[in-house]
Amino acid sequence: MSVEFNHTIIHARDNRASAEFLAHVLGLEVGTEWGPFVPVATSNGVTLDFASVPAESITLQHYAFLVTDEEFDGVFARIREAGIEFWADPHGKQPGEINHNHGGRGVYFMDPAGHGMEVISAPYGSHTNDEPAS
């Protein structure tokens, strides 16, 4: 059996603003609006469909993106150029830093709806002498 993750819906206060924010940071394109959704597709074919909902209906989630080292450089540069607050850890205790977990680099930041975003250049568990995944 072949099962692949295809898409997910991400609740936002403003679907277009959240889609454009993430697409810019990751160096991706915003797709054509379809019904209530503004999509952003990743290179592995997964689509993030942003939908506007009332702010009180948003349950904060965490989304992690695996990129190459070269792509990480671009993502991190765009985060810094845009003045986006970032951390080396998911709890925000290491502001203005990135991590070097799992033999790569990682950074955490928030999207406009308050979702936790993570960008990593090495998958969890890819290096044997690292801290546990968070």
Side-chain angles (χ1 to χ4, degrees):
M1 177 188 327
S2 174
V3 178
E4 294 182 4
F5 189 64
N6 180 263
H7 71 277
T8 192
I9 297 170
I10 300 177
H11 289 167
R13 289 186 290 268
D14 178 327
N15 60 355
R16 176 138 319 264
S18 286
E20 289 176 352
F21 171 86
L22 188 62
H24 172 71
V25 168
L26 297 179
L28 300 172
E29 298 290 324
V30 174
T32 302
E33 189 168 342
W34 182 76
F37 306 112
V38 177
V40 175
T42 64
S43 65
N44 62 339
V46 175
T47 303
L48 308 170
D49 295 323
F50 289 87
S52 294
V53 299
E56 63 273 8
S57 298
I58 297 174
T59 299
L60 300 183
Q61 299 293 317
H62 173 82
Y63 300 93
F65 302 92
L66 179 63
V67 300
T68 65
D69 280 321
E70 182 178 282
E71 291 165 335
F72 187 91
D73 291 339
V75 167
F76 190 52
R78 287 186 290 275
I79 287 171
R80 294 183 71 178
E81 287 166 6
I84 298 167
E85 192 172 11
F86 62 92
W87 303 268
D89 66 302
H91 307 292
K93 295 183 181 187
Q94 296 173 292
E97 298 179 37
I98 64 170
N99 67 58
H100 296 276
N101 299 339
H102 311 283
R105 294 176 289 165
V107 65
Y108 294 83
F109 58 98
M110 306 297 275
D111 87 335
H115 296 298
M117 301 290 170
E118 176 183 10
V119 176
I120 56 175
S121 65
Y124 286 172
S126 61
H127 194 266
T128 57
N129 296 328
D130 287 321
E131 301 173 21
S134 51

